[in-house]
Amino acid sequence: MTTAAAPAPLITIGDLRAAADILRGVAVRTPLLPDDALSERLGAPIFYKPEILQRGGAFKFRGAYTYLARLSAEERARGVITASSGNHGQGVAMAAKMFGVPSTIVMPTTVPRAKRDGAERLGARCFYHGVTTAERIERAAEIQRAEGLTFVPPFDDNIIIAGQGTCGLEIVEDLPSVGTVLVPIGGGGLSSGVASAVKLLVPNARVIGVEPAGSPKFTKA
């Protein structure tokens, strides 16, 4: 008889606050910006949290820096590697540059030039392989084993989730009366982190995941 694997532990409010401590003074604490026109049209206050203002232009820096900060000096010194369609790779490259360690990013062959150039400008060594997440991760694992690098997960990891979830902590700090949070779903790192932060602090708030109609990965998973 096969024994079912124990479920992965969920992140705690302590994990989220520890990540916030790591990021304090490093990541941009993005504001909540009111949309007065949309608020008037919908009859409820609407705010945006513009993570485009974050280092690297995306929330991914939060998780990447948190992960590298939690590594030992020896693990970082070996160099870090990740698989990314672009934003996570740039986040890892930026965090690695800040820690003064080498980074390697495996991106899809279809990666937009701006994201490729962004990672390379930050000093990353880039490889281009396949078009799917599984293909990128497989190639990154091969390079990791061959060179002894340290892998930085793109989303499915509690440290990454806690780092991304600091977005949710900031939302609640700035708007304690928050009723509904809409959060994009891709790999799940941001959505699970924000959902954890918001629901742990404001249990009655709703968290709604949003994904593109043409690529509903979570719905189909």
Side-chain angles (χ1 to χ4, degrees):
M1 182 172 126
T2 302
T3 303
L10 300 178
I11 63 170
T12 67
I13 195 65
D15 296 328
L16 289 154
R17 287 176 173 153
D21 287 341
I22 289 171
L23 293 171
R24 189 167 292 114
V26 179
V28 177
R29 194 188 187 290
T30 53
L32 285 184
L33 301 179
D35 186 325
D36 295 336
L38 188 58
S39 297
E40 183 177 355
R41 183 157 64 89
L42 297 180
I46 305 296
F47 299 85
Y48 293 102
K49 188 164 180 63
E51 280 294 291
I52 194 172
L53 302 178
Q54 189 54 257
R55 285 180 181 265
F59 69 90
K60 292 285 190 177
F61 174 77
R62 294 174 181 263
Y65 187 91
T66 302
Y67 196 90
L68 265 69
R70 295 284 297 271
L71 295 174
S72 68
E74 189 275 331
E75 288 172 320
R76 285 196 298 267
R78 291 204 303 260
V80 296
I81 185 170
T82 195
S84 169
S85 60
N87 287 337
H88 176 64
Q90 290 185 93
V92 169
M94 180 170 287
K97 184 176 182 179
M98 295 171 74
F99 279 105
V101 299
S103 62
T104 299
I105 317 297
V106 179
M107 296 181 170
T109 56
T110 54
V111 65
R113 184 182 182 92
K115 294 184 179 182
R116 181 193 71 189
D117 291 350
E120 291 179 344
R121 188 166 53 249
L122 290 164
R125 177 182 58 159
C126 297
F127 291 86
Y128 306 95
H129 180 78
V131 296
T132 68
T133 300
E135 289 171 325
R136 293 191 292 278
I137 291 177
E138 182 179 11
R139 179 65 179 128
E142 291 173 354
I143 299 170
Q144 177 196 17
R145 289 191 295 269
E147 300 185 11
L149 306 177
T150 300
F151 185 71
V152 182
F155 43 77
D156 193 11
D157 176 90
N158 278 9
I159 295 175
I160 295 288
I161 290 170
Q164 320 297 34
T166 57
C167 286
L169 283 184
E170 293 171 10
I171 289 171
V172 175
E173 288 171 0
D174 291 347
L175 190 65
S177 61
V178 62
T180 303
V181 177
L182 282 78
V183 57
I185 299 179
L190 176 67
S191 55
S192 55
V194 169
S196 296
V198 172
K199 296 295 286 185
L200 286 169
L201 293 171
V202 189
N204 292 330
R206 298 176 68 204
V207 180
I208 301 174
V210 181
E211 56 185 349
S215 182
K217 296 180 180 180
F218 183 81
T219 303
K220 291 185 175 181

